[in-house]
Amino acid sequence: AGDQAGTDQDGQTADLSAYEEKEITVKKMESIDRSGNTWLYIVDSDDHIYCAKYADVIDMILVSKGDKITILTDGTNFRYPAS
C-alpha cells in the first residue's frame, strides 16, 4: 500500500498511515467527474460511502456490485487493492 498515496477528496496527498483495512460488500458504485478528474464513490452494505480518485483505484474496474472486497480506508477515502 505504501506507493499508492494518491489524492484524497479534499485534493490533499492521502496519508495512508491513517488508513485501516476493512472488508466490505459493494452495494453500489458511481463515477463522478469533479474538476476534470473522475472520482469513484462506492456504497457498502451498511450504506457507508467511500470515495477515491479513479486513477488511484483503477483495479476497481474488475469489481462488481455484490463483490466482497478488502479496502484501505480512513472512513471516507479508500484505496483498492488493500495490499
Side-chain angles (χ1 to χ4, degrees):
D3 64 346
Q4 55 174 320
T7 307
D8 68 18
Q9 68 176 349
D10 299 317
Q12 305 299 314
T13 299
D15 177 11
L16 296 186
S17 66
Y19 284 43
E20 296 181 357
E21 284 192 12
K22 182 174 183 182
E23 186 176 83
I24 65 167
T25 300
V26 178
K27 179 177 174 182
K28 181 178 181 180
M29 291 188 289
E30 196 76 39
S31 59
I32 298 172
D33 181 72
R34 289 177 43 196
S35 304
N37 292 303
T38 302
W39 286 77
L40 181 66
Y41 290 80
I42 56 175
V43 181
D44 69 14
S45 56
D46 295 323
D47 290 329
H48 192 94
I49 301 169
Y50 306 91
C51 68
K53 190 187 275 187
Y54 215 139
D56 294 336
V57 293
I58 198 68
D59 287 344
M60 285 295 294
I61 195 106
L62 303 173
V63 175
S64 300
K65 179 179 164 184
D67 286 356
K68 190 173 281 191
I69 62 171
T70 301
I71 60 172
L72 277 178
T73 184
D74 64 356
T76 302
N77 301 288
F78 80 98
R79 293 296 175 270
Y80 176 83
S83 56

